[in-house]
Amino acid sequence: MTNTGIPVKKLYGLDHLRSLAILMVLFYHYRMFQHPQWLDNMISFGWTGVDLFFVLSGYLISYPLFINMAAGKNISLPEFFIKRVFRIIPAYLVVLAIYFLFPSFHEREALPPLWKFLTFTQNFGFDIKSSGTFSHVWSLCVEEHFYLLFPLVLAALLRFNVWKKAGILLAALFVFGIGIRLYCWYALIAPHAGEDNFFIIWYKHMYYPTYTRLDGLLAGVSIAALFAFKPAVKNRVIQHGNTILLLSLAVLTGAWFLCEDQESFYASVFGYPLVAAGYGLAVVAAVSPSCLLYRYNSRVTALIARLSFALYLSHKGVIHLAQPLLAKTGLAPKGTAMFIACLLVAGLGAFILNKAVEAPFLRLRQRVLEQRKKTAHKKMMLITNDSAA
């Protein structure tokens, strides 16, 4: 539903992309466990699954806000933050508690300090070798920083009536991303070339920090801004959904070749914006009625998409526990059957987390938002009656 109560058609294409993103993440992370040899070759580009998530988040979070702005309405910061808190924090805290209360859930080395998880600063100065448990939450940190700062920036642009110049800010942030990665490469990473700990330094200064990973979020925001403020352009673009999807595949193929050595200079500095552009085009295709992604409805991808956040949070710990237990049934640890079984168990764990935690808090969120609307309506009626008197 929109804010006006008008039903919105479910965007199947975005469900397909969200399910693709989480499967890429799952397949890529599964390599840290005993795994089939073919997985190493098939999923080398799987690390970009988080970049697809970034583009999706940038688009889905900003588009409703931009639609309100285009209609001359203010954005409600309390409503925005209520939606984000109820969607993310409950499931995150449950899984975080499991990690800290049950060491057997740890898939790797020691956890970073609790305060880093609670403040969403785990992705800064992160040593993947010494504190690799629950490491994947670095990308949630990036998204939380976006959720905090983006609406505040929008509110400031509206407050000072300069939001029409926001395109300049977006372009500046894209340039900033390239510039900061150039600085990180030459000042912090390149001096350690050839050292045994080079990959740790590269991850710490290039892969994890928020300021080096803005490209996907900015791509999603840019698409949302174009569609919300330039509806005529949107109407022309979405007539070519399948062509745009093919263009997306071409760009991502180029990104795959550029990022074949993920820790190289060109991949580090220019790979992220190219990946973001490829997935940005995929999002444009997915919301285009002319595209097969938009028209095809799949219950499977809809389910995977619904469980994607729970899967993202819990999959490493669940697989870490499940694989040794499944091996006792006779499944070969490095076999394809084990791989499939572990993914199914991870899906079951995500389903339980979704039903037990996510769904109840989403229902509670809806009640809180409805109560806010009722309270706001009562206040408006009182003001109207007072004015009439």
Side-chain angles (χ1 to χ4, degrees), residues 237-362:
V237 168
I238 62 176
Q239 295 176 18
H240 307 285
N242 288 326
T243 301
I244 294 171
L245 181 60
L246 291 175
L247 181 60
S248 166
L249 295 175
V251 172
L252 289 171
T253 300
W256 183 82
F257 282 108
L258 179 65
C259 300
E260 190 170 8
D261 179 0
Q262 191 183 354
E263 299 168 15
S264 69
F265 169 79
Y266 288 105
S268 300
V269 177
F270 304 109
Y272 298 132
L274 191 60
V275 169
Y279 285 132
L281 289 168
V283 168
V284 172
V287 297
S288 300
S290 59
C291 181
L292 58 90
L293 289 178
Y294 182 97
R295 298 193 299 267
Y296 177 64
N297 179 15
S298 167
R299 291 184 179 180
V300 174
T301 56
L303 175 62
I304 295 173
R306 178 162 60 87
L307 299 179
S308 60
F309 185 55
L311 272 168
Y312 161 82
L313 288 173
S314 62
H315 68 280
K316 282 185 180 178
V318 171
I319 293 172
H320 169 69
L321 291 176
Q323 195 175 72
L325 294 176
L326 290 169
K328 294 180 180 179
T329 68
L331 291 177
K334 294 185 178 182
T336 300
M338 174 67 80
F339 171 63
I340 296 172
C342 283
L343 292 186
L344 291 175
V345 173
L348 177 61
F351 182 81
I352 294 171
L353 181 61
N354 174 263
K355 289 296 184 181
V357 181
E358 286 188 289
F361 275 95
L362 289 177

